[in-house]
Amino acid sequence: MLVGTNITDWAAVDGAYYAGAGTEAIWLFLSMILCVAALVLGARHEKGAYKRVK
């Protein structure tokens, strides 16, 4: 059984089926924000660690 449909067998599917259609942009921007945040936080941490060593 496919999630979100009443299709019970793959033989009944005659075209493309994608449950996430229309939400790709949301996930793309969310992942971009998370990557930038990780880079900024990592750079800030490394800068602080470098200053502590000197």
Side-chain angles (χ1 to χ4, degrees):
M1 179 163 57
L2 296 174
V3 177
T5 68
N6 58 358
I7 298 172
T8 58
D9 186 14
W10 281 107
V13 179
D14 59 353
Y17 178 78
Y18 179 54
T23 61
E24 295 91 352
I26 294 169
W27 291 111
L28 173 66
F29 289 120
L30 180 61
S31 63
M32 289 169 62
I33 290 168
L34 289 174
C35 286
V36 169
L39 287 171
V40 169
L41 291 174
R44 190 182 298 173
H45 177 268
E46 287 296 317
K47 188 175 183 179
Y50 182 74
K51 284 183 179 179
R52 283 190 295 259
V53 171
K54 278 189 158 185

